[in-house]
Amino acid sequence: YDEEESLNSSASNCTTVEGRQGLTLLPYSASYFPRELVVCIVISLFGVYSPSIIFRPLIGINMRPIPYQQLGTGDIVLDLGLNNPLVEEVTVPSALLIHSSITLPLIVLIVVTFISPRIKSACYRFHDAHAAVCTLLTTIGMSEFVTQMVKMYVGRLRPNFYALCEFDPSTLQCAANQAREMEGRQSFPSGHSSLSMAGMGVLALFFLGRANIGRKNQERPRISNQSFGSSWKSKTTAFFSLIPLAYSTFVASSRLVDNWHHP
């Protein structure tokens, strides 16, 4: 039988054909996926907010002693690695990071899965979008949780620590408020780097999957018998899928240039 004709005729009852096997899909609202989406959202919110709201008050941040050396003459020698100037206007501000690493991938995933679902079905596009969005939310939540927890455990001082905490050589203490001093004690790992890699990494893997990278011909959910993996479209998609990773590399590098993280 004609598989393409079968696909089109089955769109109304959410039944699709993948190869020679029939695949029946329930409407999205009638499946367990909405509940799963709620779980993904909860995981994401927990990962983002729980370290600062729940765990930081309980375990605190590793308070490394402020490094300095007092000479016999009374002069204070500071650690040059922590005495870099404070850059307030960073290359990638937090607002830009959030929109480029969360909002943009979210929009791209939803639009692409609805416009070009892997299986031509009225129901499958919702399932396809659900899988992509859930993956992004879960990845961001896990990445943020691990990053912030490791930051608190390590407590490494930033390259601009003295300027950020307004270290006073006369008192040998930080003159800035506690929030700025605590910010100066969270150099590793980079939150900008991990968040951008989480969002852009999901986006890159999504497009690599759309380019059928790593799949055998017989496993591809394609209507045509054409070997799509060797076509120019597949290669072009695979090439452009690396652009998100290039952006996340730029974000990570900018944190070194702006003196907010060590190499």
Side-chain angles (χ1 to χ4, degrees), residues 161-168 173-181:
F161 176 77
Y162 293 125
L164 188 60
C165 84
E166 300 176 12
F167 181 75
D168 187 355
Q173 298 293 330
C174 291
N177 56 45
Q178 186 180 21
R180 285 177 65 90
E181 181 180 353

Side-chain angles (χ1 to χ4, degrees), residues 6-256:
S6 177
L7 283 173
N8 293 332
S9 64
S10 63
S12 59
N13 60 6
C14 300
T15 302
T16 64
V17 175
E18 184 176 358
R20 296 184 178 179
Q21 297 179 350
L23 176 63
T24 303
L25 297 175
L26 291 174
Y28 185 80
S29 59
S31 67
Y32 68 89
F33 288 118
R35 297 190 297 272
E36 187 178 75
L37 180 60
V38 173
V39 173
C40 293
I41 294 174
V42 171
I43 292 176
S44 179
L45 294 176
F46 179 83
V48 171
Y49 294 106
S50 66
S52 58
I53 296 177
I54 300 176
F55 295 100
R56 185 178 299 176
L58 293 176
I59 63 178
I61 298 177
N62 184 9
M63 299 295 291
R64 294 173 179 264
I66 301 176
Y68 63 85
Q69 184 176 4
Q70 189 169 15
L71 303 180
T73 58
D75 295 329
I76 303 298
V77 179
L78 302 179
D79 186 340
L80 294 179
L82 308 177
N83 200 25
N84 292 282
L86 175 62
V87 179
E88 296 282 4
E89 297 182 1
V90 296
T91 305
V92 182
S94 297
L96 176 59
L97 174 71
I98 293 174
H99 289 307
S100 61
S101 302
I102 301 178
T103 308
L104 178 61
L106 190 62
I107 294 175
V108 171
L109 292 175
I110 294 175
V111 170
V112 173
T113 51
F114 267 83
I115 293 179
S116 178
R118 289 181 296 171
I119 299 177
K120 305 300 181 182
S121 167
C123 287
Y124 190 80
R125 64 184 59 197
F126 290 96
H127 295 73
D128 209 13
H130 165 87
V133 170
C134 233
T135 299
L136 177 65
L137 294 177
T138 305
T139 301
I140 290 175
M142 295 176 63
S143 173
E144 283 296 290
F145 181 82
V146 172
T147 299
Q148 295 185 50
M149 294 299 293
V150 174
K151 276 178 178 287
M152 290 186 289
Y153 175 72
V154 175
R156 187 177 186 185
L157 306 182
R158 296 187 184 273
N160 55 13
F161 176 77
Y162 293 125
L164 188 60
C165 84
E166 300 176 12
F167 181 75
D168 187 355
S170 61
T171 62
L172 303 178
Q173 298 293 330
C174 291
N177 56 45
Q178 186 180 21
R180 285 177 65 90
E181 181 180 353
M182 293 302 103
E183 180 64 31
R185 294 180 176 275
Q186 300 181 69
S187 176
F188 177 85
S190 169
H192 276 62
S193 302
S194 62
L195 181 57
S196 63
M197 182 59 72
M200 295 294 104
V202 169
L203 203 58
L205 292 175
F206 173 79
F207 284 117
L208 285 174
R210 287 308 175 103
N212 294 320
I213 301 300
R215 287 187 177 186
K216 297 180 181 179
N217 290 340
Q218 61 270 24
E219 294 177 350
R220 297 179 188 137
R222 308 298 299 181
I223 305 302
S224 172
N225 292 326
Q226 177 187 4
S227 180
F228 184 77
S230 59
S231 70
W232 66 270
K233 288 185 179 180
S234 178
K235 295 177 181 178
T236 303
T237 304
F239 173 77
F240 281 105
S241 66
L242 300 179
I243 293 179
L245 298 182
Y247 172 74
S248 61
T249 302
F250 165 74
V251 172
S253 301
S254 72
R255 303 304 286 171
L256 305 182

